[in-house]
Amino acid sequence: MPSSRTASDTSPSLAEAALAARAATPQLAERTFWRWLGPLAALCIFGAVGLILHRQLAHLHVRSVVARLHGIPRSQLLTALGFTALSYWLLSTYEVLALRYLRRVIAYGRIVFTSFIAYAFGHTLGFAVFTGSAIRFRLYATAGVSAIDVATVTAFCSLSLGIGLATISGLSLLFAPAQTATMLHLRHHWGLLVGAALLVAVAAYAGWTCFGRGRLEIRGWALRPPGALIGLTQIGLAVLDVSLSSAVLWSLLPVEAHVPFVTFVGVYAVAVIAGIISHVPGGVGVFEAVILLTLPGVPADALLGSLLAYRAVYYLAPLVVGTLLFGAQELAGQRNRLAWAHELASLYIAPVVPQIAGALTFLAGALLLLSGATPGVEERLAFLDALVPLAVLEASHLAGSVVGLGLLVLARALFRRVQAAYHITVYLLLAGIVASLLKGLDFEEATLLALVLAVLVLGRRAFYRPTAIADERFTPVWVVSIVGVVAMAIWIGVLSYRHVSYSDQLWWTFALHGNAPRMLRASLAVVVLGTAYALFNLLRPARPEPSVASTAELERARPLIAHSALTLANAALSGDKRLLFSEAGDAFLMYQIAGRSWIALGDPVGAAAGAEELVWRLREMSDHHGAETVFYQVSAERLSLYVDLGLAALKIGEEARVPLAAFSLEGPARADLRQSYRRAQRDGASFEVVAPGEPVRALLPALQRISDAWLATKSTGEKRFSVGSFSPRYLEQFPVAVVRAEGELAAFANLWTTDTHEELSVDLMRFAAEAPRGAMDYLFIELMLWGRSAGYRWFNLGMAPLSGLETHPLAPAWHRVGNFIFRHGEHFYNFEGLRRYKAKFEPVWEARYLAARGGIALPRVLVDVSVLIAGGMKELFAR
């Protein structure tokens, strides 16, 4: 007798769940350790650099540094701004070369805009979530550039920077060996050796670009030589780019520096390399420490003033310009009378609103904290003293620092499009503007905060997730980033007031010029509030993860399935997956866990807002467990949703959908189908669709015999996850199409349908040995004719795995392996034959993707997905 699988059969007992949780605890702890290791290492490096700087600057007074900064001649500042403009323009030529290498044609205006935005924010922030790679993907994706091409462009630009740094360092060590080696604390012969090695590496790359014939394999990527024109131009532009960016700082050096440019550019390159290796965001502190250590002959206060001016000119100025450009485009996009401007803003701005707004909010928070740690301008304080009471000034100073901490915390929620975070950030920015004015008439600071506020308000439509802010758990990178900013603010405060002798009375000193006491109180408030929030975020109990769907959950999902446009939603009713519902209950996502991967099947089912919430929740849940987030068999229309999670899209095949309104057996193209159909009719085939429930239940014994015989013939077991398996409880939920031969059941297929009549598809399809010839063609033809008469728009023939993968020379290893298997893997699965069979119904082919984190984790993810679909590792190897 066939056994039916109930919800209780698939749900583990409490004892089993406890044992599984206990067994998983060591693995979770190990994964958590590795997630924290990198960010904590960066924080330790940042702390060590802070100690070095503290010793180097111990004899300096902040006022002398500020005086040096204000004393930089206007001509030097204008020269530095000119070099900065040339440098950022030159950076766009990297993108032009990379796209030419890919043979992609994109409007030059879009390239320049994308390059400027990516570098302006990437240079300043340097966090993984803020990198130019993410911004490039979002902006180039609207031009039809694939994720593979965007990754290639990013790698090309990074390689160009590396070539420029290596070339400049090598030339400096060879042509100014004495001075450069002395500054870098290298022996003369070691300097020559390092310089020669760097230039040999660059020469080897140049030789490969000019004379290379084969493709170079690097971690699964196949790189073809770019050719002499692109390769040599890349090297020349890279050297010019590093020279221009170093010229920005060189032009700001004090007159008494007397550092030759050839020597300085080598020191600059080493400082940039050290900043990159440290993984400290923006290389803050590391770059400055190397410059201070390698130029001991330059007065420290003057050199530090030049470094501050360099940060303002090369980092802050482009960021402000990028923000203004961003805001102007978004404002133009909201002027509906200018259709062209609206279209321009939609293409260039809309994809990156959360990233830009989150980055600016983080910087605004850092600005408020740093402002609270430094003394105010005495003339402004004296003027303010005549207008407001001292209590207002004190309260505003404290409020400004607390608001800064709040903005740092909210920046991550803005990245995740949380609506509540948008509203709170708007109020905090308004409070920050008021506090900046009342604590010291900081007009410059208030203007920058107002600029961030304007960008946020203009992009308000991008923040639509109704998730509570408390549900947003912080990753190690974010925790360390916030801690780093707070620590830097406190260190700058200690450095600014180290001439003030500490005493307990300072905490209770309230005076117009009591800057040091105000800094102490603000720092304490920020540390206490930040620690409390971190403990709340890290120690609060996690939301329980759903187990395999219960009967009640399946019933809850039925209305959403019925209103879905895609029949894949019916896969949730198989009972072998976990269901995750949105807070409003208007959407659900089905997923299962395999190995170290949390794998969702298809796009979320239901309302768009709920779908957005579910995607983020699954990512957060899997991150908490140190697992990979995977979305399998998703559509191209929803790819931007998964990209926002930081996942890469991998094409896994194409789905064949037949438009039923135009389907018929007429015409020469359908001659083979007509022949198969008529032959089956002559052999006594007949077709019927049996209604779900009792009518199907009556046929179950016969269907069971056909299914068992079919599985035995194929020497295989039931598949899982993406399709259903034979189960009486499962089958009786659906209509079943049957083919009879001379009145006896010979084939069957259960049908996936929805109330929208948008799509009709087949799930299980099995044939008996006595089925007439051409029974499969006959079944599909009758189903399409039946679907057309019933008012369905599409018939889904299912996915052709590995179909339509990219074949260009730069395709990664997955595409090349997939194409090879597609053409030659008939011993494992008839990939090419399956596509040919479906193609005779003249379907519309729609790409389907797997969204997952790329890199070294991808092979393990593919194995986990394969095991899950096959029903287990043993079944996978059997196939």
Side-chain angles (χ1 to χ4, degrees):
M1 290 291 293
S3 61
S4 63
R5 181 178 53 191
T6 64
S8 60
D9 295 330
T10 60
S11 300
S13 67
L14 291 177
E16 291 171 335
L19 289 173
R22 186 180 303 172
T25 299
Q27 296 180 358
L28 179 59
E30 181 182 354
R31 296 171 192 170
T32 302
F33 169 78
W34 287 110
R35 290 173 64 218
W36 280 93
L37 182 61
L40 287 177
L43 186 62
C44 291
I45 293 173
F46 183 72
V49 169
L51 289 176
I52 295 172
L53 287 175
H54 191 77
R55 293 176 180 175
Q56 287 289 113
L57 307 176
H59 62 285
L60 295 183
H61 195 286
V62 173
R63 297 187 188 280
S64 65
V65 176
V66 173
R68 288 285 195 168
L69 176 62
H70 289 164
I72 297 176
R74 181 176 299 178
S75 59
Q76 287 184 249
L77 290 173
L78 291 176
T79 302
L81 284 171
F83 283 134
T84 298
L86 286 174
S87 176
Y88 273 83
W89 170 79
L90 196 65
L91 288 171
S92 68
T93 61
Y94 290 167
E95 314 258 336
V96 174
L97 284 178
L99 291 168
R100 183 171 181 178
Y101 173 63
L102 291 170
R103 302 186 180 98
R104 288 279 189 173
V105 179
I106 296 179
Y108 181 68
R110 168 169 288 197
I111 295 174
V112 173
F113 179 86
T114 301
S115 171
F116 182 76
I117 292 293
Y119 281 113
F121 284 87
H123 278 168
T124 305
L125 296 160
F127 305 143
V129 290
F130 294 146
T131 53
S133 178
I135 292 176
R136 282 189 186 94
F137 187 89
R138 288 165 176 82
L139 291 177
Y140 281 140
T142 59
V145 180
S146 68
I148 297 170
D149 289 344
V150 170
T152 304
V153 170
T154 302
F156 188 95
C157 295
S158 299
L159 177 62
S160 300
L161 174 62
I163 290 172
L165 292 172
T167 306
I168 288 293
S169 300
L171 290 174
S172 183
L173 285 167
L174 286 182
F175 291 99
Q179 291 174 299
T180 306
T182 300
M183 289 182 176
L184 296 176
H185 304 284
L186 291 174
R187 292 184 180 273
H188 181 74
H189 63 277
W190 277 110
L192 291 174
L193 183 62
V194 171
L198 290 173
L199 291 180
V200 166
V202 175
Y205 175 78
W208 176 71
T209 61
C210 296
F211 307 109
R213 292 293 178 265
R215 289 184 292 183
L216 181 64
E217 296 276 349
I218 301 177
R219 295 185 66 179
W221 289 85
L223 303 177
R224 60 175 172 81
L229 180 60
I230 293 178
L232 296 180
T233 303
Q234 179 190 21
I235 295 173
L237 290 176
V239 172
L240 186 57
D241 168 45
V242 176
S243 301
L244 284 172
S245 60
S246 64
V248 176
L249 179 55
W250 185 74
S251 64
L252 292 169
L253 292 177
V255 179
E256 60 266 33
H258 301 299
V259 180
F261 180 73
V262 174
T263 302
F264 177 79
V265 74
V267 171
Y268 175 89
V270 171
V272 172
I273 293 171
I276 294 172
I277 293 174
S278 70
H279 290 289
V280 174
V284 175
V286 179
F287 176 84
E288 285 77 6
V290 173
I291 295 294
L292 286 168
L293 290 172
T294 53
L295 299 177
V298 183
D301 56 350
L303 186 54
L304 189 57
S306 298
L307 287 167
L308 291 175
Y310 167 75
R311 286 285 182 182
V313 170
Y314 195 73
Y315 289 82
L316 185 58
L319 182 66
V320 171
V321 173
T323 303
L324 288 171
L325 181 62
F326 177 87
Q329 293 279 23
E330 182 69 12
L331 182 61
Q334 296 190 22
R335 295 171 61 184
N336 294 327
R337 291 175 299 173
L338 300 177
W340 64 270
H342 180 76
E343 181 181 359
L344 189 67
S346 298
L347 287 174
Y348 286 8
I349 298 301
V352 292
V353 167
Q355 291 73 33
I356 300 296
L360 292 175
T361 299
F362 191 90
L363 287 176
L367 176 64
L368 283 171
L369 287 175
L370 295 175
S371 175
T374 52
V377 180
E378 292 186 2
E379 294 80 3
R380 296 183 183 183
L381 288 175
F383 179 80
L384 195 63
D385 184 43
L387 299 178
V388 298
L390 179 61
V392 173
L393 188 149
E394 295 282 356
S396 299
H397 188 280
L398 183 64
S401 296
V402 173
V403 167
L405 176 65
L407 293 177
L408 294 182
V409 171
L410 288 169
R412 183 172 188 271
L414 291 178
F415 264 82
R416 294 176 174 258
R417 303 173 182 263
V418 177
Q419 190 178 57
Y422 162 77
H423 292 295
I424 297 175
T425 302
V426 167
Y427 292 128
L428 286 183
L429 286 171
L430 289 171
I433 292 171
V434 174
S436 298
L437 296 175
L438 292 180
K439 72 183 176 68
L441 293 178
D442 291 332
F443 298 109
E444 302 86 354
E445 181 180 305
T447 301
L448 290 174
L449 293 178
L451 184 60
V452 175
L453 177 62
V455 170
L456 194 65
V457 171
L458 290 172
R460 60 187 177 275
R461 290 173 296 178
F463 306 99
Y464 49 79
R465 286 185 64 208
T467 307
I469 296 176
D471 291 340
E472 298 293 314
R473 288 188 175 272
F474 280 80
T475 62
V477 171
W478 273 96
V479 173
V480 169
S481 299
I482 294 173
V483 170
V485 170
V486 172
M488 182 172 62
I490 295 174
W491 174 71
I492 290 176
V494 171
L495 191 67
S496 301
Y497 302 111
R498 67 178 179 277
H499 61 283
V500 179
S501 300
Y502 175 80
S503 67
D504 293 340
Q505 288 299 113
L506 285 176
W507 296 98
W508 309 104
T509 300
F510 299 92
L512 178 64
H513 298 291
N515 291 308
R518 281 194 286 271
M519 185 276 295
L520 286 175
R521 290 189 291 269
S523 299
L524 178 63
V526 168
V527 170
V528 170
L529 292 174
T531 303
Y533 186 82
L535 291 174
F536 167 76
N537 190 272
L538 296 174
L539 300 181
R540 64 190 173 93
R543 185 191 305 219
E545 290 83 22
S547 58
V548 175
S550 64
T551 302
E553 288 175 321
L554 293 177
E555 292 302 319
R556 185 182 177 189
R558 285 185 191 279
L560 298 173
I561 296 172
H563 290 88
S564 174
L566 299 180
T567 53
L568 184 61
N570 288 277
L573 300 177
S574 65
D576 62 349
K577 286 173 278 294
R578 307 175 186 220
L579 301 185
L580 185 63
F581 288 89
S582 62
E583 292 290 345
D586 59 354
F588 76 88
L589 179 149
M590 46 185 157
Y591 75 100
Q592 191 50 275
I593 300 173
R596 290 181 58 180
S597 301
W598 290 41
I599 306 167
L601 176 61
D603 298 312
V605 179
E612 176 91 8
E613 171 196 339
L614 290 169
V615 166
W616 284 104
R617 276 179 54 191
L618 185 67
R619 175 62 190 267
E620 290 156 3
M621 289 163 56
S622 59
D623 281 351
H624 176 67
H625 287 80
E628 299 292 337
T629 311
V630 185
F631 292 87
Y632 173 74
Q633 204 171 324
V634 297
S635 62
E637 291 76 14
R638 291 285 184 92
L639 279 185
S640 60
L641 188 63
Y642 309 114
V643 169
D644 281 340
L645 270 67
L647 305 180
L650 191 72
K651 188 174 181 180
I652 55 173
E654 293 177 313
E655 198 168 77
R657 301 178 77 210
V658 179
L660 293 181
F663 178 77
S664 72
L665 293 178
E666 304 300 325
R670 301 289 171 84
D672 290 341
L673 290 179
R674 283 197 305 272
Q675 183 178 359
S676 296
Y677 182 71
R678 290 168 181 169
R679 182 171 56 241
Q681 286 182 320
R682 289 195 299 269
D683 291 342
S686 62
F687 171 82
E688 178 188 4
V689 175
V690 182
E694 188 59 37
V696 170
R697 198 172 297 122
L699 295 176
L700 284 175
L703 301 182
Q704 179 81 64
R705 286 194 299 272
I706 294 174
S707 178
D708 292 345
W710 185 86
L711 291 174
T713 302
K714 300 295 182 180
S715 300
T716 188
E718 297 280 9
K719 290 185 179 180
R720 306 286 178 182
F721 192 60
S722 60
V723 295
S725 58
F726 191 96
S727 162
R729 174 184 283 269
Y730 174 67
L731 282 181
E732 64 189 30
Q733 302 177 80
F734 305 101
V736 174
V738 298
V739 174
R740 289 183 169 88
E742 304 297 342
E744 296 294 327
L745 281 178
F748 75 91
N750 69 300
L751 307 181
W752 280 351
T753 64
T754 66
D755 291 350
T756 63
H757 281 63
E758 180 70 17
E759 186 179 74
L760 169 69
S761 65
V762 167
D763 179 25
L764 297 179
M765 183 169 62
R766 301 200 171 157
F767 299 85
E770 58 270 19
R773 290 180 301 167
M776 183 179 292
D777 286 351
Y778 176 77
L779 178 58
F780 276 131
I781 292 169
E782 286 284 9
L783 278 173
M784 292 180 193
L785 296 174
W786 177 84
R788 185 184 65 181
S789 64
Y792 289 92
R793 292 188 58 201
W794 297 89
F795 185 86
N796 193 326
L797 284 166
M799 189 171 67
L802 305 181
S803 169
L805 300 187
E806 297 191 42
T807 57
H808 64 73
L810 293 177
W814 158 249
H815 283 250
R816 289 181 284 112
V817 171
N819 278 310
F820 179 83
I821 295 174
F822 181 79
R823 292 190 300 269
H824 307 291
E826 62 272 7
H827 296 295
F828 305 99
Y829 191 90
N830 193 8
F831 296 100
E832 199 165 10
L834 179 62
R835 180 184 168 93
R836 281 199 305 268
Y837 178 81
K838 295 180 179 183
K840 67 183 182 181
F841 292 94
E842 299 181 13
V844 175
W845 296 99
E846 298 180 1
R848 290 295 178 261
Y849 296 86
L850 180 143
R853 188 166 62 90
I856 59 175
L858 188 57
R860 184 177 66 244
V861 165
L862 294 175
V863 170
D864 289 341
V865 172
S866 301
V867 169
L868 182 60
I869 293 173
M873 184 64 76
K874 179 180 178 180
E875 288 77 6
L876 176 64
F877 281 113
R879 292 179 190 282

